[in-house]
Amino acid sequence: MKDSRAYAIQCIKDEAEAVLGLIPQLDESFDMAVDLIYHCKGKIIVTGVGKSGHIGAKIAATLSSTGTPSFFINPLDVFHGDLGVMAQDDVVLAISNSGQTDELLRFIPMVLHMKIPIIGMSGNPASLLAKYSTCHLNVSVEKEACPLNLAPTSSTMAQLAMGDALAVALIEKRNFQPRDFAQFHPGGELGKRLLTTAQDVMRSDDLPVLPPEMHLGEAIILVSKGKLGLGVAEVDGKIAGLITDGDIRRATEKWQAQFFDHTVSDIMTRTPKTVRPETKISEIQQIMNRYKIHSVLVTDDEQHLLGVVDHYSCMI
């Protein structure tokens, strides 16, 4: 067991060193690659064979989910009709560790004939892939993590890291925001928080609405029945203020026996935090955190109460 762990540790160290070794290899070609992708009016077509192909599919998925329309294609499929998916507005990202992969090199002349820019990614700056690429990303590594120095390990890790570096650079260049990310990930937790609105989760039935002149003894009953920990004061159908169970508790401690002589207007917050029905849950959470509150009121343009969103409603 100890030997197995030692091998694992060495593998991780070797791959980490391979990734860090990419830093001095970054040059103006990386800037050119980012620029080509950023200004691409078509699609990014990622291609590669074998293990490089698997890495290419992941890179294409990462680019697509961060605002760069991309897809992976096996160069072998191009010879059987898939060339039709390519257009002159596209950019090709071709990946090969050796830069000499026969299946990939047979694909390159077709791309050149269509005058489509090629971003080559290989571990051999002197390869044919590098020679015929518009720009070349050097992902060479000193050795594979494989003890036989044969199985693609460090080399594929370097390709993956370079693909992520491209995606991250493009995220910054595009000023890609969390709300944009959510558009491409609507099924995940982040997507739900960023796409779900106040209207989707607010409680709108049996809201604890009370007049400002109501005595606090009566108000306690309504707040308790409402089960939201608050009561909304209204005048002529418009919000006039808000009281919370915390306000009531503090008033009890302050006035004690005289508590029941006071009214809602004596303790209510006259400018409660409100949001529109289309406000995203992510924005509501920011408001709650900033002002250290547990609920916000949902209103229309005329400050009519439509609903309440509390902390638990945002836990989606």
Side-chain angles (χ1 to χ4, degrees):
M1 180 65 71
K2 184 179 292 185
D3 288 343
S4 296
R5 267 180 271 164
Y7 297 144
I9 291 169
Q10 188 58 51
C11 173
I12 293 171
K13 284 183 177 179
D14 288 343
E15 293 195 352
E17 290 175 4
V19 171
L20 290 174
L22 295 178
I23 295 175
Q25 294 171 191
L26 291 171
D27 54 19
E28 62 275 2
S29 289
F30 183 83
D31 301 328
M32 186 183 299
V34 171
D35 201 53
L36 278 172
I37 297 174
Y38 180 72
H39 290 103
C40 176
K41 296 180 180 179
K43 310 169 294 296
I44 306 302
I45 299 173
V46 186
T47 187
V49 179
K51 304 296 189 299
S52 295
H54 294 306
I55 296 298
K58 191 275 178 186
I59 293 174
T62 300
L63 289 172
S64 290
S65 69
T66 52
T68 301
S70 311
F71 68 90
F72 174 80
I73 186 171
N74 190 311
L76 296 175
D77 294 333
V78 173
F79 302 113
H80 300 281
D82 284 0
L83 186 63
V85 303
M86 297 173 58
Q88 286 189 334
D89 287 338
D90 297 337
V91 170
V92 166
L93 172 58
I95 308 171
S96 166
N97 184 41
S98 68
Q100 301 287 116
T101 307
D102 182 62
E103 296 90 341
L104 190 63
L105 293 179
R106 284 192 286 142
F107 167 67
I108 297 300
M110 303 178 191
V111 181
L112 294 174
H113 177 72
M114 296 178 69
K115 298 181 180 179
I116 296 174
I118 300 173
I119 300 171
M121 183 190 296
S122 82
N124 183 3
S127 64
L128 287 174
L129 174 60
K131 178 181 178 180
Y132 289 107
S133 294
T134 310
C135 59
H136 178 258
L137 302 175
N138 184 4
V139 289
S140 60
V141 297
E142 289 189 10
K143 63 175 182 177
E144 298 287 2
C146 165
L148 302 176
N149 197 30
L150 293 175
T153 45
S154 296
S155 57
T156 49
M157 182 62 70
Q159 293 171 354
L160 185 62
M162 186 63 76
D164 286 343
L166 284 172
V168 169
L170 286 159
I171 286 172
E172 291 292 338
K173 196 173 181 71
R174 296 186 194 283
N175 192 29
F176 198 77
Q177 298 296 314
R179 62 178 177 274
D180 303 313
F181 189 82
Q183 296 290 338
F184 299 101
H185 299 77
E189 181 181 347
L190 174 65
K192 289 179 181 177
R193 285 194 291 110
L194 291 168
L195 296 178
T196 303
T197 66
Q199 190 171 23
D200 296 326
V201 300
M202 70 182 185
R203 175 174 155 185
S204 56
D205 298 328
D206 300 321
L207 296 175
V209 175
L210 34 83
E213 63 273 13
M214 177 179 283
H215 282 87
L216 292 178
E218 299 176 76
I220 290 176
I221 298 173
L222 286 179
V223 170
S224 179
K225 286 183 177 179
K227 297 181 179 180
L228 285 171
L230 57 79
V232 183
E234 282 191 355
V235 174
D236 296 330
K238 294 186 178 181
I239 297 172
L242 174 76
I243 64 170
T244 66
D245 49 9
D247 295 327
I248 294 172
R249 184 179 64 255
R250 287 185 289 273
T252 304
E253 294 171 354
K254 177 181 178 181
W255 291 316
Q256 297 184 16
Q258 287 73 43
F259 170 80
F260 294 98
D261 297 329
H262 290 273
T263 64
V264 170
S265 62
D266 293 330
I267 66 170
M268 69 184 186
T269 299
R270 298 179 184 276
T271 55
K273 300 304 176 187
T274 63
V275 299
R276 298 294 303 280
E278 64 271 17
T279 304
K280 302 294 191 293
I281 291 300
S282 58
E283 297 176 47
I284 294 175
Q285 288 177 316
Q286 291 175 2
I287 293 171
M288 290 180 180
N289 292 334
R290 184 183 311 130
Y291 296 102
K292 295 180 173 57
I293 56 178
H294 296 90
S295 304
V296 295
L297 307 181
V298 185
T299 65
D300 59 17
D301 291 335
E302 285 76 38
Q303 286 298 296
H304 296 131
L305 180 66
L306 301 178
V308 175
V309 176
D310 63 11
H311 171 74
Y312 297 105
S313 303
C314 297
M315 297 174 65
I316 57 176

